[in-house]
Amino acid sequence: MGKTALITGITGQDGAYLSDYLIKKGYTVHGIKRRSSLFNTDRIDHLYQDPHVENRNMILHYGDMTDSMNITRIIGDVKPDEIYNLAAMSHVKVSFDTPEYTANADGIGTLRILEAVRLLNLTNKSRIYQASTSELYGLVQEVPQKETTPFYPRSPYAVAKLYAYWITVNYREAYGIHASNGILFNHESPLRGETFVTRKVTRAVARIVLGLQDKVYMGNLSSKRDWGHAKDYVKAMYLILQQDQPDDYVISTGVTTTIRDFIKMAFVEGKDEEEVGFIASIDENKFANIVGNKQLELLKKRVGDVVVGVDPAYFRPTEVELLIGDNTKARTKLNWTPEYDLKALCEDMVISDLALMKKEEYLKDGGYRILNYFE
Ligand code: NAP
Ligand code: F7E
């Protein structure tokens, strides 16, 4: 008999990759999905099995992280060997608009899982993975960030995740639950939600290239992220729960890149690498208050064909400027190594989005020459 896993947030990016990975390992995967007025299972449709199929290895339950009774009932019914708590309102900018809901789903939601395991006497059976995040480091206190770096959250999302991190540690220490935090740095993929920066860029590249869109408006181009591929990162989640002792791990690539450089990388993907150059249209009135005069002057000189715009609407009230993770502990204790570097990740996403736009022929005919000059 294979193991049984319960995944909250199974319809999300990580939920989809993790389900695929665990099913291939012989697990029976149960997932919690929210009811929505439109289908929200696109990412896992290839794994879905009709309820009438015998011996299913993928079973979905309706549920919500804000509903304690529902969470407790599902965990009691499934009695999972492993719980991967991936469900969250995961968009940092949106958390400023919905802070209370974010605290409820992302913070208290984690407590609901832990408390259900305790009340159902599953403390010796069910291991728990908590989806913690590099956003905990926020205004970073150390470079690079590692497991011992102090946290300084900078958004309602990160503050909610801070509670989730510590309540996980507390239940481990108080009740001996095998509960661990994966402190995952940004990870992306062709399945990434369309409003996160990498996917927004790769979709825009595809659409601009194909003449479906004139330009894309971006926010802060100067922040830096340590981006990995979600396929690599779900393997780390699995490894964390296979350890004899629960613990907390940074999962990262150790390389950091600006948003600006990611955009450049995406626009030249696999094509004519001649730089045609330009930057956004700039609303000086809005912009002057946000960047320094020197940068504004530089930007003004560079206005050309406009395909990328900067719109301060995408700026955040408080920003996380620099993330770069030290993954030494994961490499040594989990024997985890990421396979994708940023270039390979970017290629995967651009190619996938181009295919999604169903116009591959255009590229074969000589492609395009677009963008690529910021600084
Ligand atoms: P995602 O694509 O946004 O998926 C989030 C999942 O949570 C979706 O299945 C979503 O359902 C579900 N969900 C949201 N609110 C819920 C609620 N109230 N009740 C039940 N389900 C709910 O996120 P992801 O990128 O896969 O990330 C997975 C987890 O890792 C999240 O907790 C995220 O905060 C954390 N994390 C992500 C990263 C990253 O770079 N991707 C890094 C560190 C940590 P719908 O499909 O119905 O919206
Ligand atoms: O932003 C800047 C933005 O939304 C990255 C979540 O998975 O990873 C993710 O959070 C950076 C920020 O991811 C746009 O200001 C510029 O500096 O892709 P993002 P995030 O905020 O880092 C962490 C680890 C999580 O845990 C979260 O769940 O890009 N940026 N222009 C932009 N960001 C967006 N979304 N859109 C823009 O137009």
Side-chain angles (χ1 to χ4, degrees):
M1 282 281 283
K3 286 187 191 168
T4 300
L6 174 65
I7 303 178
T8 73
I10 195 164
T11 56
Q13 170 189 256
D14 292 2
Y17 282 115
L18 182 64
S19 306
D20 198 57
Y21 187 66
L22 293 180
I23 286 171
K24 285 184 181 138
K25 285 200 169 291
Y27 279 62
T28 300
V29 170
H30 291 254
I32 299 183
K33 81 177 206 80
R34 299 189 284 185
R35 192 267 163 184
S36 78
S37 63
L38 287 171
F39 287 125
N40 61 351
T41 53
D42 285 16
R43 293 178 173 115
I44 50 169
D45 279 348
H46 62 295
L47 300 171
Y48 179 75
Q49 291 167 314
D50 188 273
H52 304 98
V53 170
E54 275 183 38
N55 301 322
R56 284 182 295 160
N57 54 17
M58 150 77 89
I59 297 149
L60 296 180
H61 307 257
Y62 279 112
D64 197 292
M65 293 305 290
T66 60
D67 183 336
S68 307
M69 284 187 277
N70 154 270
I71 295 286
T72 307
R73 179 180 54 74
I74 295 170
I75 293 177
D77 286 351
V78 175
K79 297 187 176 48
D81 298 300
E82 296 173 7
I83 299 175
Y84 294 87
N85 182 30
L86 308 185
M89 199 311 287
S90 72
H91 202 285
V92 173
K93 174 84 160 59
V94 174
S95 78
F96 287 96
D97 299 326
T98 60
E100 182 183 344
Y101 172 74
T102 304
N104 192 359
D106 299 13
I108 308 296
T110 303
L111 173 66
R112 293 184 178 106
I113 300 266
L114 291 158
E115 189 62 358
V117 166
R118 187 174 80 89
L119 294 176
L120 293 163
N121 293 322
L122 293 172
T123 46
N124 293 324
K125 176 171 172 69
S126 302
R127 296 183 172 195
I128 300 176
Y129 171 87
Q130 169 56 23
S132 285
T133 164
S134 53
E135 286 293 299
L136 294 171
Y137 298 118
L139 188 63
V140 298
Q141 305 292 298
E142 189 179 22
V143 179
Q145 296 83 51
K146 51 182 186 282
E147 290 79 3
T148 51
T149 303
F151 297 139
Y152 193 134
R154 292 268 281 175
S155 63
Y157 166 77
V159 174
K161 286 282 189 177
L162 184 77
Y163 176 83
Y165 174 93
W166 282 116
I167 200 68
T168 300
V169 173
N170 183 243
Y171 270 58
R172 174 167 85 212
E173 292 174 354
Y175 306 116
I177 298 180
H178 193 297
S180 300
N181 286 288
I183 308 171
L184 270 54
F185 282 60
N186 299 52
H187 46 282
E188 320 292 312
S189 73
L191 298 185
R192 185 59 145 153
E194 289 92 343
T195 59
F196 296 97
V197 76
T198 55
R199 187 75 199 288
K200 181 169 166 179
V201 169
T202 61
R203 268 176 60 90
V205 169
R207 292 178 60 79
I208 290 167
V209 166
L210 299 172
L212 301 170
Q213 181 175 329
D214 289 336
K215 62 190 283 189
V216 60
Y217 289 95
M218 305 299 303
N220 178 11
L221 302 178
S222 299
S223 57
K224 292 178 148 189
R225 289 293 182 273
D226 177 334
W227 282 296
H229 199 302
K231 264 190 199 169
D232 283 333
Y233 284 40
V234 299
K235 291 181 195 164
M237 296 178 188
Y238 164 79
L239 287 172
I240 288 171
L241 288 201
Q242 309 319 305
Q243 303 308 301
D244 288 341
Q245 297 303 322
D247 204 347
D248 309 316
Y249 297 88
V250 160
I251 305 297
S252 67
T253 68
V255 177
T256 194
T257 310
T258 60
I259 310 305
R260 181 179 295 107
D261 282 340
F262 182 84
I263 295 173
K264 284 204 250 181
M265 194 180 274
F267 270 94
V268 298
E269 199 295 301
K271 298 290 148 339
D272 180 352
E273 294 202 0
E274 187 180 343
E275 295 188 354
V276 185
F278 54 79
I279 197 167
S281 62
I282 297 162
D283 179 335
E284 280 188 51
N285 291 331
K286 282 187 193 168
F287 216 70
N289 296 328
I290 295 160
V291 300
N293 284 341
K294 196 173 151 204
Q295 193 183 359
L296 187 60
E297 286 311 308
L298 280 173
L299 288 168
K300 274 159 60 183
K301 282 188 198 144
R302 291 171 182 174
V303 173
D305 281 355
V306 176
V307 297
V308 178
V310 171
D311 182 346
Y314 296 109
F315 281 57
R316 294 157 186 203
T318 41
E319 177 62 281
V320 173
E321 299 291 351
L322 165 68
L323 290 174
I324 177 166
D326 176 347
N327 60 19
T328 309
K329 183 172 171 183
R331 281 182 186 270
T332 50
K333 289 204 167 175
L334 301 177
N335 203 16
W336 174 82
T337 324
E339 285 174 21
Y340 283 81
D341 65 9
L342 186 59
K343 187 166 181 299
L345 166 66
C346 184
E347 275 175 20
D348 194 20
M349 294 179 71
V350 171
I351 288 167
S352 165
D353 275 329
L354 284 166
L356 203 63
M357 303 305 160
K358 298 189 193 313
K359 297 259 177 93
E360 295 98 328
E361 310 79 37
Y362 180 91
L363 296 172
K364 283 185 213 133
D365 291 339
Y368 60 94
R369 300 164 70 210
I370 307 206
L371 176 304
N372 185 23
Y373 186 71
F374 278 100
E375 197 158 52

